[in-house]
Amino acid sequence: MASTADIKNGVVLSIDGQLWSVVEFQHVKPGKGGAFVRTKLKNVMSGKVVDKTFNAGAKIEIENVDRRDFTYLYNDGDSFVFMDVADYDQINVGAKTVGDAAHFLLENQQVQIALNNGNPLYVEMPASVVLEVTYTEPGLQGDRSSAGTKPATLETGYEIQVPLFLETGTKVKVDTRTGDYLGRIS
């Protein structure tokens, strides 16, 4: 058991059987009364963010979360198969755990997976990835980047909005957090 003095950003706590990551914390010593620690916690599984206050010196349970580099190999239907780059062990990660990262996964893509006691908690993608546009309507003469957007299907099957001048076969940079178009790669 640890105490509130061990709380730092990124530490994962076990509260009521659920895992919560510390987003931010603040030790507060008011002039009157006992000190306390004000925290903002994010649920590791659902992403829900809550505020929680602990009395100073209260006992808390810190969980060991190991973030390791993996390479995406393939999708076998109901799960995704990743290979640990350090020891070449393969793990299967369920589609629910992979979440929206599945929209941007290509074979041999490097990702980070957070593990707790060997169980995958979530998949962390790079901030942006480069993908090829496999289909989009042809642009018209005079289309400019500020004129608007049109839908485009990427090589992973995910659809994003791109400027009107882009054509099929163009490589584009995509933000993995929001799915937004960031620019084209020549």
Side-chain angles (χ1 to χ4, degrees):
M1 282 293 222
S3 75
T4 55
D6 300 316
I7 292 179
K8 293 179 180 33
N9 288 347
V11 167
V12 177
L13 307 175
S14 177
I15 302 171
D16 299 330
Q18 293 188 325
L19 298 178
W20 298 83
S21 177
V22 177
V23 177
E24 60 185 55
F25 71 99
Q26 179 182 20
H27 288 279
V28 180
K29 294 181 184 174
K32 188 176 185 181
F36 57 91
V37 180
R38 188 178 295 137
T39 62
K40 186 176 281 188
L41 304 172
K42 180 178 180 180
N43 189 307
V44 171
M45 301 308 277
S46 69
K48 179 181 175 184
V49 178
V50 297
D51 293 324
K52 184 155 176 70
T53 303
F54 298 95
N55 289 330
K59 299 293 180 204
I60 55 172
E61 195 174 333
I62 294 180
E63 285 290 328
N64 182 23
V65 173
D66 186 20
R67 290 178 179 86
R68 299 195 341 226
D69 292 326
F70 284 82
T71 301
Y72 171 62
L73 297 178
Y74 59 91
N75 181 346
D76 72 355
D78 56 345
S79 67
F80 294 79
V81 180
F82 293 88
M83 178 184 69
D84 191 333
V85 296
D87 58 13
Y88 305 110
D89 282 345
Q90 291 184 9
I91 64 167
N92 288 15
V93 180
K96 185 178 177 191
T97 304
V98 174
D100 288 341
H103 299 309
F104 309 106
L105 278 175
L106 286 176
E107 290 182 5
N108 300 320
Q109 174 88 41
Q110 297 295 317
V111 297
Q112 270 198 337
I113 298 179
L115 301 166
N116 174 255
N117 300 328
N119 298 323
L121 300 174
Y122 57 88
V123 175
E124 208 170 279
M125 295 286 294
S128 64
V129 292
V130 175
L131 297 169
E132 186 176 328
V133 175
T134 55
Y135 176 77
T136 187
E137 295 291 329
L140 301 171
Q141 183 65 30
D143 285 344
R144 298 290 174 258
S145 62
S146 62
T149 60
K150 62 182 178 180
T153 305
L154 302 174
E155 59 188 304
T156 59
Y158 189 61
E159 193 172 277
I160 65 168
Q161 294 293 317
V162 298
L164 294 170
F165 63 84
L166 283 182
E167 299 173 354
T168 300
T170 307
K171 289 205 177 278
V172 295
K173 194 174 198 178
V174 181
D175 187 328
T176 58
R177 295 169 299 232
T178 62
D180 292 340
Y181 165 83
L182 295 176
R184 67 178 163 176
I185 306 296
S186 43

